[in-house]
Amino acid sequence: MGYISEIQLLFNTVRHLKPIQIRYRLKYFIRNRIGKSPLLNAGTTISKTSEPNLRFGQSIFNSNSYKPDKSFTFLNIEHTFSGKIDWNFPEYGRLWTYNLNYFEFLNQENISVDEGLKLIDDYIGTINDNNTGLEPYPISLRVMNWIRFFITHHIDDERYNGYVWAQLQLLRKLKEYHLMGNHLLENGFAFLFGAYYLNDSTLYKEAKDILLPELKEQILKDGAHFELSPMYHSLMTYRVLDCFNLVSNNSLFNTELLPLLKDKAEKMLAFLNNFTFRNGDIPLLNDAANGIAPTPSELFAYAHRLGLDMRVSTLSDSGYRKFTSDSYELVLDVGEVGPSYQPGHAHADTFNFQMHINNRPVIIDTGTSTYEVNDTRFYERSTRAHNTVTIGDENSSQVWAGHRVAKRANVMIHKDNSDRIVASHDGYLKRFGVRHTRDLFLSENGLTIIDDIQNEKGVAHFHFAPGEYLLEDNQLKGDDFRIVFTNYTSIEKVATYHSPEFNKRIDHISLKILFTGKLTTQMLCE
């Protein structure tokens, strides 16, 4: 990539940022350059101890990621430390190290109190040397997990409370306004947990200053989290439920945030209910993988224990749509890359869809197996890794690095009702002079998709769940369905892979349908 191209790429990324993001990026850049990054003031004596008799109802147990032999499993990678635990352990990438520092294993079902305290003590012993652990995002999650562990097991120790307080004071200097999105929300949730745990009005103000505007902005009208990742939506729903649990069970600060948390929790649950397939799967759209967030059924059960209602709503401003019959379910993405100022978890997947037939996946997404900046990450974010159309093997939006997007496809919706949607995007307009229009409508016993790229040549990509399929002429046949392609140039079967979880790949097949102008795809259930 030439110098000018790099400048253009950066400009088309930065121009979408909010002024506050630029201000904080400059602030942190200057602070780091002059060597005055804030440090943890560990061991400081505080006048306040934990709030006595703080209550927290039964939440969701986190996954079993720790075994007592100093063995940790994150992202499907297990590692056992032979000596002391290296909390900065770098071998498996940044996300694995982040998970090590979250301390979510404190709240797995089978860990003993003594083992949990031993891990906390080990961590405290090296905390000032822990560069990764003292980043704001791991601080936020770790503080919440420590507090939940302390409340659950009625632990009130001045030393531990001091380290909770010290980490929150550091977090106050590291708030993630440069990133925004779920990172900033996690900062706010951590301040709320800290405010209740230490009965601290300053921390409560920090929580309010973040949560009041951010929950309003980040939860869309149809209940979706605005980063449009089903995985992060589930994580944020989990966090809102935990905050509702904390606030509803304790009278501190006049339970002021309870109505807001209740409203957002019920909207988020309604979206999840609309969006989830009947077999309980979430569509793996944008950055999404199984095994990271609680499942929809776990979240619904938790909400029921908290006495929350399941609202009725429809999919709207998220850009997601769902078409169903007795035999099939199809989820389609006709939304924008979003949010505009923080699209770090977006893929170049405009008009991507996933389809279940008779409660099993048939047309699937490639998935997300890594956040590392490498060829795998580039492929999994690319347009050809999704069930949509490429022109000239280009991406519809300029995804780059690990979590960046420059120019984005803009979507226009022309028709939107219960049995048909017609939308177009301009992701190829400047390069090829055409718009991609996708027309999806219900047919007599299935669905029909018409892809129109005017007179240009393109490729429609279809990714199939592992299984037995027969390709004959213009038809792909399964046990109880067939897909018929019309107006194509050629059909090519390609061996690819599916990543339903991080660091997990399953071989499967894809079809590349070469066509000019218009391609008609009929999906018929039999």
Side-chain angles (χ1 to χ4, degrees):
M1 182 182 296
Y3 177 73
I4 297 298
S5 297
E6 290 181 6
I7 294 295
Q8 291 175 336
L9 197 67
L10 187 61
F11 171 77
N12 285 313
T13 302
V14 172
R15 70 187 181 90
H16 295 281
L17 297 180
K18 284 187 171 186
I20 192 172
Q21 289 177 285
I22 296 173
R23 188 167 76 247
Y24 268 79
R25 284 175 183 272
L26 288 173
K27 173 184 174 181
Y28 292 158
F29 174 77
I30 294 169
R31 189 168 67 186
N32 292 336
R33 293 284 288 185
I34 63 177
K36 291 188 177 180
S37 299
L39 300 174
L40 183 76
N41 194 6
T44 302
T45 301
I46 59 173
S47 58
K48 296 176 181 178
T49 60
S50 63
E51 178 66 16
N53 302 316
L54 204 64
R55 296 181 299 277
F56 189 75
Q58 177 60 55
S59 180
I60 299 171
F61 288 113
N62 292 330
S63 60
N64 294 328
S65 57
Y66 172 75
K67 292 186 290 189
D69 59 354
K70 298 181 184 177
S71 177
F72 299 86
T73 301
F74 307 116
L75 313 176
N76 289 309
I77 298 175
E78 182 175 3
H79 181 78
T80 301
F81 292 96
S82 58
K84 288 187 67 66
I85 297 170
D86 178 3
W87 299 100
N88 277 309
F89 189 69
E91 185 172 328
Y92 305 126
R94 186 177 183 81
L95 188 59
W96 197 95
T97 312
Y98 260 38
N99 274 270
L100 180 64
N101 282 268
Y102 295 161
F103 267 76
E104 290 184 337
F105 43 80
L106 282 182
N107 298 299
Q108 65 185 45
E109 190 169 11
N110 62 353
I111 193 168
S112 70
V113 175
D114 287 344
E115 191 71 25
L117 293 177
K118 186 165 67 173
L119 290 167
I120 292 173
D121 288 336
D122 187 287
Y123 194 85
I124 287 173
T126 61
I127 195 168
N128 281 315
D129 300 319
N130 191 339
N131 297 326
T132 302
L134 294 183
E135 292 181 27
Y137 192 74
I139 288 175
S140 298
L141 272 65
R142 183 171 59 253
V143 162
M144 286 186 281
N145 283 309
W146 282 19
I147 290 173
R148 180 176 153 186
F149 180 77
F150 294 151
I151 296 172
T152 300
H153 299 290
H154 309 290
I155 296 165
D156 186 6
D157 184 289
E158 183 177 344
R159 177 169 171 264
Y160 295 144
N161 297 341
Y163 274 95
V164 168
W165 182 86
Q167 290 176 88
L168 288 166
Q169 297 310 306
L170 179 58
L171 183 61
R172 291 180 65 196
K173 302 173 185 177
L174 297 172
K175 291 175 292 214
E176 294 178 276
Y177 280 101
H178 60 305
L179 294 177
M180 307 290 284
N182 74 84
H183 277 243
L184 186 60
L185 263 188
E186 296 285 23
N187 300 164
F189 295 141
F191 286 132
L192 185 65
F193 265 71
Y196 271 75
Y197 184 66
L198 298 171
N199 192 8
D200 189 310
S201 58
T202 301
L203 292 174
Y204 183 68
K205 183 180 184 304
E206 293 277 14
K208 281 179 57 178
D209 287 348
I210 292 174
L211 295 180
L212 289 176
E214 291 302 319
L215 283 173
K216 181 178 180 181
E217 180 172 2
Q218 293 195 32
I219 308 309
L220 302 177
K221 290 179 182 178
D222 65 3
H225 182 253
F226 75 162
E227 293 187 55
L228 304 177
S229 155
M231 180 180 77
Y232 282 98
H233 176 89
S234 297
L235 285 171
M236 293 302 98
T237 304
Y238 180 26
R239 209 74 74 216
V240 172
L241 292 176
D242 269 353
C243 288
F244 179 84
N245 184 347
L246 181 69
V247 174
S248 65
N249 277 294
N250 302 282
S251 59
L252 294 176
F253 310 109
N254 299 314
T255 63
E256 176 187 21
L257 292 176
L258 196 62
L260 173 70
L261 294 168
K262 182 177 189 295
D263 177 62
K264 298 306 178 185
E266 291 180 346
K267 285 181 178 177
M268 296 170 84
L269 290 162
F271 171 81
L272 194 61
N273 188 48
N274 285 333
F275 196 61
T276 302
F277 288 113
R278 284 191 286 252
N279 70 350
D281 291 347
I282 58 170
L284 298 182
L285 296 164
N286 291 307
D287 275 348
N290 296 317
I292 302 297
T295 64
S297 61
E298 289 175 321
L299 292 167
F300 296 147
Y302 186 18
H304 180 73
R305 292 196 297 273
L306 294 172
L308 292 167
D309 296 326
M310 184 65 72
R311 297 185 186 178
V312 176
S313 69
T314 56
L315 299 174
S316 59
D317 49 341
S318 64
Y320 290 128
R321 298 294 185 270
K322 190 174 184 181
F323 296 85
T324 63
S325 74
D326 290 341
S327 55
Y328 66 79
E329 302 165 274
L330 183 145
V331 173
L332 172 71
D333 181 1
V334 291
E336 304 282 352
V337 169
S340 62
Y341 58 85
Q342 179 46 289
H345 295 296
H347 292 193
D349 64 346
T350 304
F351 301 162
N352 183 28
F353 70 95
Q354 294 177 43
M355 187 174 187
H356 281 204
I357 295 176
N358 294 324
N359 293 323
R360 75 182 192 284
V362 172
I363 297 178
I364 59 177
D365 192 89
T366 297
T368 301
S369 69
T370 184
Y371 281 174
E372 296 298 300
V373 182
N374 54 30
D375 288 343
T376 299
R377 177 68 171 160
F378 301 152
Y379 169 69
E380 290 174 357
R381 296 184 79 202
S382 72
T383 304
R384 62 192 173 96
H386 301 88
N387 302 298
T388 187
V389 171
T390 58
I391 298 176
D393 201 29
E394 296 284 341
N395 290 327
S396 55
S397 294
Q398 286 182 310
V399 291
W400 63 286
H403 296 85
R404 301 286 183 267
V405 186
K407 291 181 181 179
R408 299 99 191 266
N410 298 296
V411 175
M412 292 181 61
I413 296 179
H414 308 285
K415 187 181 291 291
D416 187 3
N417 54 44
S418 61
D419 60 2
R420 186 180 184 188
I421 188 161
V422 182
S424 63
H425 76 77
D426 65 359
Y428 301 121
L429 188 60
K430 285 189 176 180
R431 286 167 288 176
F432 301 100
V434 299
R435 299 180 67 93
H436 172 206
T437 300
R438 175 159 277 185
D439 182 356
L440 187 151
F441 55 92
L442 305 187
S443 52
E444 186 172 335
N445 59 342
L447 290 152
T448 297
I449 297 175
I450 299 175
D451 287 303
D452 186 351
I453 52 173
Q454 298 163 311
N455 294 317
E456 190 59 66
K457 294 180 180 180
V459 179
H461 302 266
F462 295 88
H463 300 268
F464 292 90
E468 296 295 325
Y469 306 100
L470 177 63
L471 180 62
E472 287 185 343
D473 297 325
N474 68 330
Q475 297 190 38
L476 183 80
K477 296 180 180 180
D479 291 338
D480 50 4
F481 72 91
R482 58 192 173 98
I483 300 176
V484 182
F485 302 101
T486 308
N487 300 326
Y488 66 95
T489 303
S490 65
I491 300 177
E492 180 182 351
K493 186 185 289 188
V494 181
T496 50
Y497 70 87
H498 167 52
S499 291
E501 301 175 18
F502 277 92
N503 297 303
K504 184 176 183 178
R505 293 187 182 184
I506 301 171
D507 292 337
H508 75 126
I509 66 160
S510 298
L511 293 184
K512 293 172 63 175
I513 317 298
L514 281 66
F515 70 102
T516 301
K518 282 187 180 182
L519 171 72
T520 299
T521 305
Q522 292 178 287
M523 305 178 189
L524 306 170
C525 302
E526 298 178 332

